[in-house]
Amino acid sequence: MDKKPRLIDVMKSVIAALFGVQSQQNRERDFGHDSPAAYIITGVVMIGIFVAALLALVSVLT
């Protein structure tokens, strides 16, 4: 088993997965770790930031 992924690697993987452009090599690397907690937490936070940004944009434009 490899060492734990760095935060920047987790963020890159989550962003790529959200856009649907994750490579097979990166997906295999990501699923090779024992715990998916870092990916789940990062995904939830990034989706929250995205929704907050959309809400802010809509409130500014209306």
Side-chain angles (χ1 to χ4, degrees):
M1 203 51 70
D2 292 335
K3 61 183 178 177
K4 290 176 63 174
R6 298 179 314 177
L7 179 60
I8 192 72
D9 294 330
V10 172
M11 290 176 66
K12 285 180 187 177
S13 290
V14 169
I15 290 170
L18 288 174
F19 283 105
V21 295
Q22 183 73 293
S23 70
Q24 183 66 25
Q25 179 184 3
N26 288 346
R27 189 175 317 126
E28 288 174 2
R29 180 197 66 209
D30 297 342
F31 283 103
H33 298 288
D34 292 334
S35 175
Y39 296 95
I40 293 170
I41 292 168
T42 304
V44 169
V45 168
M46 293 183 103
I47 289 172
I49 291 170
F50 177 72
V51 169
L54 285 178
L55 289 173
L57 181 65
V58 168
S59 68
V60 167
L61 295 177
T62 57

